Structures are given as C-alpha cells and as structure tokens.
C-alpha cells in the first residue's frame, strides 16, 4: 500500500488555486508562482490598473490545521475556507489604491 504525502507547498498551491478561480470569476488578473525555493504565491491585479497589485500567500495558521490567506508582509486576509471573503478584501484594497 502506498501513501500519498501532500507537502505544505502543495496544500498552499491548492488554496491559492481556489482563490485564483474566485478572483478570475470577478475579472481580476492573477498569476500564481510556485518556485521550488520559496512559498507559492499569487500576484493579484486589477486589469484596469495592472501596476497596482498584491502578493498573496496561503499558510497554516492554527494548530488545528486551519489555513489562511495573507498579504506578503504578513497581514491576514481571510480563512482559506472562504476564498470569496479573501477575494472581496483584495478587491477593496486594490480598488482603494486605484481610486487614490
């Protein structure tokens, strides 16, 4: 019998893929990168102003195995169980920057 082991990087990538699907359904541009030497991340941009973007990572947050999305600088966005909430928060942040 073989056992499949899912690494943290693979799990993070799965969570980012859920967020990516949600963001793209809202018209946002998303590029996911999974370099072997760093944590997977997603670069999220409003297609109207692609120079304004945010980098997002997914990481375990609690000992119970719960994961959350975070901005690259460490501020929590939302639980990975709710990619729609994360997409809404990212949309508000990027729209506010665009409007300033």
């Amino acid at each position: 019998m073989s056992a499949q082991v899912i690494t943290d990087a693979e799990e993070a990538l799965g969570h980012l893929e859920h967020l990516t699907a949600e963001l793209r359904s809202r018209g946002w541009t998303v590029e996911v990168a999974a370099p072997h030497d760093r944590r997977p991340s997603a670069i999220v941009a409003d297609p109207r102003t692609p120079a304004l973007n945010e980098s997002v990572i997914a990481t375990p947050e609690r000992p119970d195995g719960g994961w959350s999305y975070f901005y690259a600088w460490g501020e929590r966005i939302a639980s990975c169980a709710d990619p729609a909430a994360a997409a809404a928060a990212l949309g508000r942040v990027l729209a506010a920057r665009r409007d300033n």
Side-chain angles (χ1 to χ4, degrees), residues 48-95:
R48 294 171 288 181
T49 53
L52 298 176
N53 59 63
E54 286 293 341
S55 181
V56 178
I57 61 171
T59 189
E61 182 180 31
R62 298 179 302 274
D64 69 358
W67 283 65
S68 290
Y69 298 110
F70 288 85
Y71 293 104
W73 66 83
E75 182 179 336
R76 185 179 186 274
I77 302 169
S79 167
C80 289
D82 194 356
L90 284 159
R92 284 190 301 273
V93 167
L94 289 169

